[in-house]
Amino acid sequence: MASIFTRIVNGEIPSYKVAENENYYAFLDINPLAKGHTLVIPKMEEDYIFNLPGDVYAGLWEFANKVAKAIDKAVPCKRVGVAVLGMEVPHAHIHLIPIQNESDMLFSNPKLQLSSEEFVAIAKAINEAWEGNRK
């Protein structure tokens, strides 16, 4: 059975997409620690990030780097933090989280409650920065 992330990539479940290419997909986390909290995934379904083939693993990080730069342009923050936990969904993924300080990365922090309109606006801003970086 396909993971929830594979179902998102396939369009079976809606998402707030911020970036995509033929091998990778980035979308807003619907339970974000901060505005702009983004998940970056390979389209290849693999549970554990360190089980990805080397080229897919390297490509995922290169794609995440570009998405992080777009987040940095679109969302006010000091840095874009990176976390790889991999326990909550059986599909390799990277969390990119706009942060002001290290404590913003604590996954035990309360999650933000954003409206659909806020998610759409954030995704649009990141996507525009992403597209601007690609030119």
Short mmCIF file of all heavy atoms in Angstrom, two decimals, residues 5 18-19 23-29 37-43 49 52 59-68 71 83-84 91-96 130:
data_model
loop_
_atom_site.label_atom_id
_atom_site.label_comp_id
_atom_site.label_asym_id
_atom_site.label_seq_id
_atom_site.Cartn_x
_atom_site.Cartn_y
_atom_site.Cartn_z
N PHE A 5 2.57 9.94 1.67
CA PHE A 5 3.34 10.86 0.84
C PHE A 5 3.29 10.47 -0.64
O PHE A 5 3.20 11.34 -1.50
CB PHE A 5 4.79 10.95 1.32
CG PHE A 5 4.96 11.66 2.65
CD1 PHE A 5 6.17 11.65 3.29
CD2 PHE A 5 3.92 12.36 3.25
CE1 PHE A 5 6.37 12.31 4.50
CE2 PHE A 5 4.09 13.03 4.46
CZ PHE A 5 5.32 13.00 5.08
N VAL A 18 5.10 23.32 -2.79
CA VAL A 18 5.98 24.47 -2.94
C VAL A 18 7.00 24.27 -4.06
O VAL A 18 7.48 25.24 -4.64
CB VAL A 18 6.69 24.87 -1.62
CG1 VAL A 18 5.66 25.21 -0.56
CG2 VAL A 18 7.62 23.80 -1.12
N ALA A 19 7.35 23.02 -4.37
CA ALA A 19 8.32 22.76 -5.43
C ALA A 19 8.20 21.31 -5.87
O ALA A 19 7.82 20.43 -5.09
CB ALA A 19 9.74 23.04 -4.94
N ASN A 23 11.81 13.96 -9.87
CA ASN A 23 12.17 12.97 -8.86
C ASN A 23 11.83 13.33 -7.41
O ASN A 23 11.88 12.46 -6.54
CB ASN A 23 13.67 12.68 -8.93
CG ASN A 23 14.06 12.08 -10.25
OD1 ASN A 23 13.45 11.12 -10.72
ND2 ASN A 23 15.07 12.64 -10.89
N TYR A 24 11.51 14.60 -7.16
CA TYR A 24 11.32 15.07 -5.78
C TYR A 24 10.13 16.00 -5.68
O TYR A 24 9.70 16.60 -6.68
CB TYR A 24 12.60 15.78 -5.29
CG TYR A 24 13.82 14.91 -5.48
CD1 TYR A 24 14.66 15.11 -6.57
CD2 TYR A 24 14.10 13.86 -4.62
CE1 TYR A 24 15.75 14.29 -6.80
CE2 TYR A 24 15.18 13.03 -4.83
CZ TYR A 24 16.00 13.25 -5.92
OH TYR A 24 17.07 12.42 -6.13
N TYR A 25 9.61 16.10 -4.47
CA TYR A 25 8.40 16.89 -4.22
C TYR A 25 8.54 17.56 -2.86
O TYR A 25 9.02 16.92 -1.91
CB TYR A 25 7.20 15.93 -4.22
CG TYR A 25 5.84 16.58 -4.25
CD1 TYR A 25 5.25 16.93 -5.46
CD2 TYR A 25 5.13 16.81 -3.09
CE1 TYR A 25 3.98 17.50 -5.50
CE2 TYR A 25 3.86 17.38 -3.13
CZ TYR A 25 3.29 17.72 -4.34
OH TYR A 25 2.04 18.28 -4.37
N ALA A 26 8.15 18.83 -2.77
CA ALA A 26 8.20 19.56 -1.50
C ALA A 26 6.83 20.20 -1.25
O ALA A 26 6.25 20.80 -2.16
CB ALA A 26 9.28 20.63 -1.54
N PHE A 27 6.36 20.08 -0.02
CA PHE A 27 5.05 20.60 0.33
C PHE A 27 5.03 21.02 1.79
O PHE A 27 5.84 20.56 2.60
CB PHE A 27 3.95 19.56 0.05
CG PHE A 27 4.16 18.25 0.75
CD1 PHE A 27 3.46 17.95 1.90
CD2 PHE A 27 5.05 17.30 0.25
CE1 PHE A 27 3.65 16.72 2.55
CE2 PHE A 27 5.23 16.08 0.89
CZ PHE A 27 4.53 15.79 2.04
N LEU A 28 4.10 21.90 2.13
CA LEU A 28 4.01 22.39 3.50
C LEU A 28 3.51 21.29 4.43
O LEU A 28 2.59 20.54 4.09
CB LEU A 28 3.06 23.59 3.58
CG LEU A 28 3.50 24.85 2.84
CD1 LEU A 28 2.44 25.94 3.01
CD2 LEU A 28 4.86 25.33 3.32
N ASP A 29 4.12 21.24 5.60
CA ASP A 29 3.66 20.34 6.66
C ASP A 29 2.34 20.90 7.19
O ASP A 29 2.25 22.09 7.49
CB ASP A 29 4.71 20.30 7.78
CG ASP A 29 4.45 19.22 8.82
OD1 ASP A 29 3.28 19.06 9.24
OD2 ASP A 29 5.41 18.56 9.21
N HIS A 37 7.14 25.65 7.35
CA HIS A 37 7.66 24.30 7.64
C HIS A 37 7.31 23.40 6.46
O HIS A 37 6.15 23.18 6.13
CB HIS A 37 7.03 23.80 8.94
CG HIS A 37 7.48 22.45 9.38
ND1 HIS A 37 7.22 22.00 10.65
CD2 HIS A 37 8.14 21.43 8.77
CE1 HIS A 37 7.70 20.78 10.80
NE2 HIS A 37 8.26 20.42 9.65
N THR A 38 8.33 22.90 5.80
CA THR A 38 8.18 22.17 4.55
C THR A 38 8.75 20.77 4.65
O THR A 38 9.77 20.55 5.30
CB THR A 38 8.89 22.95 3.41
OG1 THR A 38 8.29 24.25 3.30
CG2 THR A 38 8.81 22.24 2.08
N LEU A 39 8.10 19.83 4.00
CA LEU A 39 8.59 18.46 3.89
C LEU A 39 9.10 18.25 2.47
O LEU A 39 8.45 18.64 1.50
CB LEU A 39 7.48 17.46 4.19
CG LEU A 39 6.86 17.57 5.59
CD1 LEU A 39 5.67 16.64 5.71
CD2 LEU A 39 7.89 17.27 6.65
N VAL A 40 10.27 17.65 2.37
CA VAL A 40 10.89 17.37 1.07
C VAL A 40 11.05 15.85 0.97
O VAL A 40 11.62 15.22 1.86
CB VAL A 40 12.27 18.05 0.95
CG1 VAL A 40 12.89 17.78 -0.40
CG2 VAL A 40 12.14 19.55 1.19
N ILE A 41 10.53 15.29 -0.12
CA ILE A 41 10.53 13.84 -0.27
C ILE A 41 11.01 13.41 -1.65
O ILE A 41 10.86 14.14 -2.63
CB ILE A 41 9.12 13.24 -0.03
CG1 ILE A 41 8.13 13.72 -1.11
CG2 ILE A 41 8.60 13.59 1.36
CD1 ILE A 41 6.80 12.99 -1.10
N PRO A 42 11.58 12.21 -1.72
CA PRO A 42 11.80 11.63 -3.05
C PRO A 42 10.47 11.04 -3.52
O PRO A 42 9.66 10.58 -2.71
CB PRO A 42 12.82 10.53 -2.77
CG PRO A 42 12.54 10.10 -1.37
CD PRO A 42 12.07 11.34 -0.65
N LYS A 43 10.25 11.04 -4.80
CA LYS A 43 9.04 10.40 -5.31
C LYS A 43 9.17 8.88 -5.19
O LYS A 43 8.16 8.19 -5.08
CB LYS A 43 8.77 10.83 -6.75
CG LYS A 43 8.33 12.29 -6.83
CD LYS A 43 7.99 12.70 -8.23
CE LYS A 43 7.51 14.14 -8.27
NZ LYS A 43 7.21 14.58 -9.65
N ILE A 49 15.61 6.91 5.02
CA ILE A 49 16.40 7.78 4.14
C ILE A 49 17.75 7.17 3.79
O ILE A 49 18.24 7.32 2.68
CB ILE A 49 16.54 9.20 4.75
CG1 ILE A 49 17.03 10.20 3.70
CG2 ILE A 49 17.40 9.18 6.00
CD1 ILE A 49 16.89 11.65 4.12
N LEU A 52 18.01 4.83 0.69
CA LEU A 52 17.86 5.35 -0.66
C LEU A 52 19.14 5.05 -1.46
O LEU A 52 20.24 5.11 -0.91
CB LEU A 52 17.64 6.87 -0.64
CG LEU A 52 16.30 7.37 -0.12
CD1 LEU A 52 16.34 8.88 0.08
CD2 LEU A 52 15.17 6.98 -1.06
N GLY A 59 20.52 13.51 -4.67
CA GLY A 59 19.57 14.38 -5.36
C GLY A 59 18.55 14.98 -4.41
O GLY A 59 18.15 16.14 -4.56
N LEU A 60 18.13 14.19 -3.41
CA LEU A 60 17.18 14.69 -2.42
C LEU A 60 17.77 15.87 -1.67
O LEU A 60 17.11 16.89 -1.46
CB LEU A 60 16.80 13.56 -1.45
CG LEU A 60 15.86 13.93 -0.30
CD1 LEU A 60 14.50 14.38 -0.82
CD2 LEU A 60 15.70 12.73 0.64
N TRP A 61 19.02 15.75 -1.24
CA TRP A 61 19.67 16.84 -0.51
C TRP A 61 19.91 18.05 -1.39
O TRP A 61 19.77 19.20 -0.95
CB TRP A 61 20.96 16.36 0.15
CG TRP A 61 20.65 15.54 1.36
CD1 TRP A 61 20.68 14.19 1.48
CD2 TRP A 61 20.19 16.04 2.63
NE1 TRP A 61 20.29 13.81 2.75
CE2 TRP A 61 19.98 14.92 3.47
CE3 TRP A 61 19.93 17.30 3.13
CZ2 TRP A 61 19.53 15.03 4.78
CZ3 TRP A 61 19.49 17.43 4.45
CH2 TRP A 61 19.30 16.30 5.26
N GLU A 62 20.23 17.84 -2.66
CA GLU A 62 20.41 18.97 -3.59
C GLU A 62 19.08 19.70 -3.78
O GLU A 62 19.02 20.93 -3.76
CB GLU A 62 20.95 18.47 -4.93
CG GLU A 62 21.23 19.60 -5.89
CD GLU A 62 21.86 19.10 -7.19
OE1 GLU A 62 22.52 18.05 -7.19
OE2 GLU A 62 21.69 19.80 -8.20
N PHE A 63 18.01 18.94 -3.96
CA PHE A 63 16.68 19.52 -4.10
C PHE A 63 16.29 20.27 -2.82
O PHE A 63 15.80 21.40 -2.87
CB PHE A 63 15.67 18.40 -4.42
CG PHE A 63 14.27 18.87 -4.69
CD1 PHE A 63 13.93 19.41 -5.92
CD2 PHE A 63 13.28 18.74 -3.73
CE1 PHE A 63 12.62 19.82 -6.18
CE2 PHE A 63 11.98 19.15 -3.97
CZ PHE A 63 11.65 19.69 -5.20
N ALA A 64 16.53 19.65 -1.66
CA ALA A 64 16.21 20.28 -0.37
C ALA A 64 16.98 21.59 -0.19
O ALA A 64 16.45 22.57 0.34
CB ALA A 64 16.50 19.32 0.78
N ASN A 65 18.22 21.62 -0.65
CA ASN A 65 19.04 22.83 -0.57
C ASN A 65 18.36 23.97 -1.33
O ASN A 65 18.25 25.10 -0.83
CB ASN A 65 20.43 22.54 -1.14
CG ASN A 65 21.37 23.71 -1.09
OD1 ASN A 65 21.10 24.74 -0.50
ND2 ASN A 65 22.50 23.56 -1.74
N LYS A 66 17.88 23.70 -2.52
CA LYS A 66 17.21 24.71 -3.34
C LYS A 66 15.90 25.16 -2.70
O LYS A 66 15.56 26.34 -2.72
CB LYS A 66 17.00 24.19 -4.75
CG LYS A 66 18.30 23.99 -5.50
CD LYS A 66 18.08 23.34 -6.85
CE LYS A 66 19.42 23.08 -7.53
NZ LYS A 66 19.27 22.33 -8.77
N VAL A 67 15.17 24.21 -2.15
CA VAL A 67 13.91 24.56 -1.48
C VAL A 67 14.19 25.41 -0.24
O VAL A 67 13.50 26.40 0.02
CB VAL A 67 13.10 23.28 -1.11
CG1 VAL A 67 11.89 23.63 -0.27
CG2 VAL A 67 12.69 22.53 -2.38
N ALA A 68 15.23 25.06 0.52
CA ALA A 68 15.59 25.83 1.72
C ALA A 68 15.94 27.27 1.34
O ALA A 68 15.55 28.21 2.06
CB ALA A 68 16.76 25.17 2.45
N ILE A 71 12.69 29.02 0.78
CA ILE A 71 12.04 29.31 2.06
C ILE A 71 12.69 30.52 2.71
O ILE A 71 12.00 31.43 3.20
CB ILE A 71 12.11 28.09 3.00
CG1 ILE A 71 11.27 26.94 2.47
CG2 ILE A 71 11.65 28.47 4.42
CD1 ILE A 71 11.49 25.61 3.18
N ALA A 83 15.81 18.75 9.75
CA ALA A 83 15.66 17.58 10.61
C ALA A 83 15.26 16.39 9.75
O ALA A 83 14.47 16.52 8.82
CB ALA A 83 14.62 17.82 11.69
N VAL A 84 15.83 15.25 10.09
CA VAL A 84 15.43 13.98 9.48
C VAL A 84 15.10 13.06 10.64
O VAL A 84 15.98 12.66 11.39
CB VAL A 84 16.55 13.38 8.61
CG1 VAL A 84 16.12 12.02 8.07
CG2 VAL A 84 16.92 14.32 7.48
N HIS A 91 8.07 6.95 4.79
CA HIS A 91 8.53 7.44 3.50
C HIS A 91 9.63 8.45 3.81
O HIS A 91 9.41 9.39 4.57
CB HIS A 91 7.38 8.13 2.76
CG HIS A 91 7.66 8.44 1.32
ND1 HIS A 91 6.81 8.03 0.32
CD2 HIS A 91 8.65 9.13 0.71
CE1 HIS A 91 7.28 8.45 -0.85
NE2 HIS A 91 8.40 9.14 -0.62
N ALA A 92 10.83 8.24 3.28
CA ALA A 92 11.96 9.13 3.56
C ALA A 92 11.56 10.58 3.34
O ALA A 92 10.90 10.91 2.34
CB ALA A 92 13.13 8.77 2.65
N HIS A 93 11.92 11.44 4.30
CA HIS A 93 11.60 12.86 4.15
C HIS A 93 12.50 13.72 5.02
O HIS A 93 13.04 13.27 6.02
CB HIS A 93 10.13 13.14 4.45
CG HIS A 93 9.66 12.75 5.81
ND1 HIS A 93 9.45 11.44 6.18
CD2 HIS A 93 9.37 13.49 6.91
CE1 HIS A 93 9.03 11.40 7.44
NE2 HIS A 93 8.98 12.64 7.91
N ILE A 94 12.63 14.96 4.58
CA ILE A 94 13.43 15.97 5.27
C ILE A 94 12.49 17.10 5.69
O ILE A 94 11.68 17.56 4.89
CB ILE A 94 14.52 16.53 4.32
CG1 ILE A 94 15.49 15.42 3.90
CG2 ILE A 94 15.25 17.70 4.97
CD1 ILE A 94 16.44 15.83 2.78
N HIS A 95 12.61 17.52 6.94
CA HIS A 95 11.88 18.69 7.43
C HIS A 95 12.77 19.92 7.23
O HIS A 95 13.93 19.92 7.66
CB HIS A 95 11.59 18.58 8.93
CG HIS A 95 10.62 17.53 9.30
ND1 HIS A 95 9.28 17.79 9.51
CD2 HIS A 95 10.78 16.20 9.51
CE1 HIS A 95 8.66 16.67 9.85
NE2 HIS A 95 9.56 15.69 9.86
N LEU A 96 12.24 20.96 6.60
CA LEU A 96 12.90 22.26 6.49
C LEU A 96 12.04 23.25 7.28
O LEU A 96 10.87 23.44 6.94
CB LEU A 96 13.03 22.70 5.04
CG LEU A 96 13.85 21.79 4.13
CD1 LEU A 96 13.82 22.31 2.69
CD2 LEU A 96 15.29 21.68 4.62
N TRP A 130 11.13 29.78 -5.31
CA TRP A 130 11.68 28.58 -5.96
C TRP A 130 11.81 28.79 -7.46
O TRP A 130 12.85 28.54 -8.06
CB TRP A 130 10.76 27.38 -5.65
CG TRP A 130 10.89 26.22 -6.57
CD1 TRP A 130 10.09 25.93 -7.64
CD2 TRP A 130 11.87 25.16 -6.52
NE1 TRP A 130 10.51 24.77 -8.25
CE2 TRP A 130 11.59 24.28 -7.58
CE3 TRP A 130 12.93 24.89 -5.68
CZ2 TRP A 130 12.35 23.15 -7.82
CZ3 TRP A 130 13.69 23.76 -5.92
CH2 TRP A 130 13.40 22.91 -6.99
#
